[in-house]
Amino acid sequence: GVCPVCNCVCPSGPALLFVKTSQGKEEGRRFYACSACRDRKDCNFFQWEDEKVSETRLAAREEYNRNHQPFFTHRQNVERYKNFVLLPLSKRRFCQECQQLLLPAEWEKHSDHQFLCDISTAQLKSPSRLMYPLENKKTNAQYLFADRSCQFLLDLIIDLGFRRVLSVGTPRLHEIIQSKASQEEDFRVRSLLLDIDFRYSQFYTEDEFCHYNMFNHYFFGGEAARETCRKFLYQDNGERVIMVTDPPFGGLVEALASSFKKLMAMWKEAEGGGHNSQEMPTFWIFPYFFESRILEFFPSFSMMDYQVDYDNHALYKHGKTGRRQSPVRIFTNLTPSMIVLPVEEGYRFCTICQRYVSSGNQHCEMCNSCTSKDGRQWKHCVLCKKCVKPSWFHCNNCNCCALRNHACEKTDAGCFVCGKAGHKRSTCPSLSHA
């Protein structure tokens, strides 16, 4: 939430309330910090909840926020784009340093910058390939779907009968939909992109893109942008719409879940509550090791075995074997048996689990489910009464399975943040109370 007294806002919108926990202590001191940037180097906004803020500091903060606004508004960018597409190819330039489409009158100002020339219509329809991906892991983490995954997602969406896609942080899926819609007359799917990367406003109208922060459910375009989103969800009484989201993996699950629930609530209002107890159909794309956290907030979700991979991520590439397969999965509230995975990539249907699983995921009769999470075949431990990774062995000291060369004495040391056993500092639930 936002502090009602001093209106804690940074360039990413309303700040979130966090708790600073000390080892082993239950209660910590609460503070406001940037919702989107986990690293102080990217946004140094910080304020204790009980701190009195001086008028001078408030004025300085407002000034800072004003100076960090984009140079052009979305509407101005739309006008600039209309002028840009009228230019002959030889006059179409994109400044790589400013990440901006340039009109001839602006060339002089960017003369000492690197730019790309002869920007084709195809390049304009694929802005995610034209622009640099923002790869700051803690803020943008703009890893873009590989073509294989993007095409699979689109085919799946079409096969399931969806006609509108709310693309939350999935620019590549959005652009493939937009591109097909403009080229193929009988292509019926439409997309609305919600993304924190304002650069996309140069390529999409206000009906196609909303500048949005998924960590605090903040529409930078205010009520008009919120209305655009609402209208998109309300179309056809909210029927045949799916939300597809691919958040930065370093993001707080709790903050993300809160925003997604608000988007779902927006959809639910579309028919005046006529959707009964139904949830808005959703694909949340996230690593498998967050499964328990996601299910905590969305018990109706289940994890699919499909490995989502990315173009510009060194580790999350398809076709690798062993440990370096992509850990990224699709979490969905749709019936698992409806999610048909490509047989040619080794996925098969398990009739007992009633879902598609990866080739290495063998059904365990004792667990009565296909237990592997990472694509390798897991093994059942009778003492732990569950399946574990193939590289783990039962340790009698710890009374659980672990890697063969683990240090036993460290297992009961517990988490550095809260002192409890069973998890590391990075996955501590106390850390994620936003």
Side-chain angles (χ1 to χ4, degrees), residues 42 55 125 150 193 308 354 364 430:
D42 299 311
E55 289 295 325
K125 292 212 181 302
C150 204
L193 176 64
V308 179
Q354 282 293 296
C364 169
S430 308

Side-chain angles (χ1 to χ4, degrees), residues 303-305 335-341 343 346-365 367-372:
M303 186 177 85
M304 303 296 98
D305 269 23
T335 311
S337 59
M338 291 165 64
I339 314 294
V340 179
L341 303 186
V343 175
Y347 297 101
R348 57 184 176 76
F349 191 73
C350 172
T351 48
I352 309 167
C353 293
Q354 282 293 296
R355 70 181 181 98
Y356 279 81
V357 295
S358 61
S359 53
N361 196 355
Q362 297 299 313
H363 192 88
C364 169
E365 287 182 5
C367 294
N368 194 27
S369 83
C370 294
T371 49
S372 169

Side-chain angles (χ1 to χ4, degrees), residues 85-123:
V85 291
L86 296 174
L87 296 169
L89 204 57
S90 61
K91 292 199 170 170
R92 290 188 189 175
R93 290 185 182 181
F94 178 76
C95 178
Q96 285 183 293
E97 283 177 51
C98 303
Q99 294 285 288
Q100 191 184 308
L101 296 171
L102 298 182
L103 296 171
E106 297 158 347
W107 288 1
E108 188 59 40
K109 236 192 314 191
H110 298 257
S111 57
D112 55 345
H113 292 180
Q114 291 267 304
F115 42 75
L116 298 170
C117 300
D118 303 343
I119 304 296
S120 67
T121 307
Q123 281 174 296

Side-chain angles (χ1 to χ4, degrees), residues 277-340:
S277 57
Q278 224 187 326
E279 261 178 355
M280 177 185 185
T282 301
F283 288 159
W284 178 345
I285 292 154
F286 226 50
Y288 70 80
F289 36 82
F290 284 101
E291 182 181 21
S292 62
R293 292 291 282 140
I294 290 177
L295 299 188
E296 199 181 307
F297 296 104
F298 292 107
S300 61
F301 279 34
S302 47
M303 186 177 85
M304 303 296 98
D305 269 23
Y306 183 79
Q307 293 186 11
V308 179
D309 47 64
Y310 295 80
D311 252 3
N312 54 326
H313 200 297
L315 302 181
Y316 300 173
K317 285 272 205 299
H318 178 63
K320 297 193 173 191
T321 51
R323 292 307 304 273
R324 285 293 175 229
Q325 297 177 46
S326 170
V328 187
R329 304 288 182 267
I330 300 169
F331 292 87
T332 183
N333 50 7
L334 298 175
T335 311
S337 59
M338 291 165 64
I339 314 294
V340 179

Side-chain angles (χ1 to χ4, degrees), residues 168-184:
V168 185
T170 56
R172 194 152 275 182
L173 179 63
H174 175 73
E175 77 190 20
I176 187 178
I177 292 172
Q178 294 295 98
S179 191
K180 279 182 180 290
S182 66
Q183 286 161 17
E184 302 169 22

Side-chain angles (χ1 to χ4, degrees), residues 393-421:
F393 296 88
H394 196 84
C395 168
N396 292 325
N397 284 349
C398 304
N399 196 25
C400 67
C401 285
L403 283 167
R404 197 180 281 265
N405 58 356
H406 73 286
C408 291
E409 66 274 14
K410 282 187 187 163
T411 52
D412 55 348
C415 162
F416 175 71
V417 177
C418 70
K420 292 184 184 141

Side-chain angles (χ1 to χ4, degrees), residues 11-31:
S12 300
L16 288 183
L17 184 59
F18 295 86
V19 183
K20 208 177 192 72
T21 46
S22 314
Q23 185 170 0
K25 287 186 187 156
E26 282 299 310
E27 267 311 302
R29 197 174 171 195
R30 285 142 63 101
F31 64 93

